[in-house]
Amino acid sequence: MEKHLQVISVLQWVVTFLAMGAACTVLLIYIFCTDCWLIAAMYTAWLIVDWNTPKQGGRRSSWVRNWTVWKYFRDYFPVKLIKTHDLLPSRNYIFGYHPHGIFCFGAFCNFGTEATGFSKKFPGIKPSLATLAGNFRLPVLRDYLMSGGICPVNRNSIDYLLSCNGTGNAVVIVVGGAAESLHCTPGMNCVTLRNRKGFVRLALQKGSDLVPVYSFGENDVYKQVIFEEGTYWRAIQKKLQKILGFAPCLFHGSGLFFNNSWGIVPFCKPITTIVGEPITVPKIEDPTEEMVDLYHDMYIRSLQSLFDRFKTRYGLKESDILHVQ
């Protein structure tokens, strides 16, 4: 029974991510065509009034973040959160999360819920996991995401959290984004970071410290078909990525009833998230390219050091290296 509850907890999140927004949009349109149209009209009116809430700190719920279902979610893999240094509540932070994986299970479990005890390990720090802004245009899904402290990954939202919400805020950005998900496969230690400097520039403008975060095992929970650069299918993936904002990956996990069958249930592989040492960043309203490059290089070196320090503890060999592209 314990294992079944764990599978259900993970499956509901996968289905939520894949279908909840579209399903609720269709349902809302359908209700407009029934005798209950007034309910749909009232919700739509409220949606319009509440449209900017995701950009203004959201509407997190401690009750939702502490649901028992997230503990089953955590134990399925299992997911662990490792703290290496204290974080001061008097500062704001930008966490760079790596790698993306397919569904960012580690990022969601550690920063979108309290299943791994983030608030106890980092007292006074309030995490906000940033995800695609398009998710917050979809009815019901937007409210579900906000209840976990999840925010849009756009300038307005992050500006508000780091400038207008006091201190003790930690915005978690999956730096590699959709492009990185196209490279994730078991055994692959590769991050898309070399030309991703926007988060560093933002940290300098806001005077927020940079914190490298690496999740061992994030790439191991699904198997993906990797298309070579220059092929027809790779071109289609990149084209759809630009249109949709996310990369359509061809992946599979295990079946719902039989472990040796194919399905969307992720494999039971441990995910261990290491929160590294913060890099103190000065506040510079208009940083030069040289200054951005300096702190970007510091960040890359810190992430590589974090990876090398912990890799042999979590299933990798001493010879394994982190590829930064």
Side-chain angles (χ1 to χ4, degrees), residues 97-115:
Y97 183 89
H98 314 269
H100 184 285
I102 298 292
F103 285 110
C104 299
F105 288 118
F108 170 71
C109 187
N110 288 306
F111 308 117
T113 79
E114 286 295 330

Side-chain angles (χ1 to χ4, degrees), residues 143-204:
D143 302 290
Y144 190 35
L145 294 177
M146 282 195 292
S147 66
I150 300 175
C151 67
V153 62
N154 60 31
R155 185 59 183 254
N156 291 337
S157 175
I158 297 175
D159 272 355
Y160 182 90
L161 290 168
L162 298 179
S163 302
C164 308
N165 203 38
T167 59
N169 300 289
V171 178
V172 185
I173 300 175
V174 186
V175 178
E180 191 173 85
S181 66
L182 292 174
H183 299 281
C184 71
T185 190
M188 177 66 73
N189 307 304
C190 180
V191 297
T192 301
L193 178 59
R194 190 70 64 186
N195 296 317
R196 302 293 175 102
K197 300 180 182 180
F199 73 106
V200 177
R201 184 182 302 277
L202 185 60
L204 285 164

Side-chain angles (χ1 to χ4, degrees), residues 7 20 92 98 114 126 186 193 196 203 222 230 246 287 297:
V7 172
M20 185 179 190
N92 284 328
H98 314 269
E114 286 295 330
K126 183 167 63 176
L193 178 59
R196 302 293 175 102
Y222 282 114
F246 62 90
D297 289 341

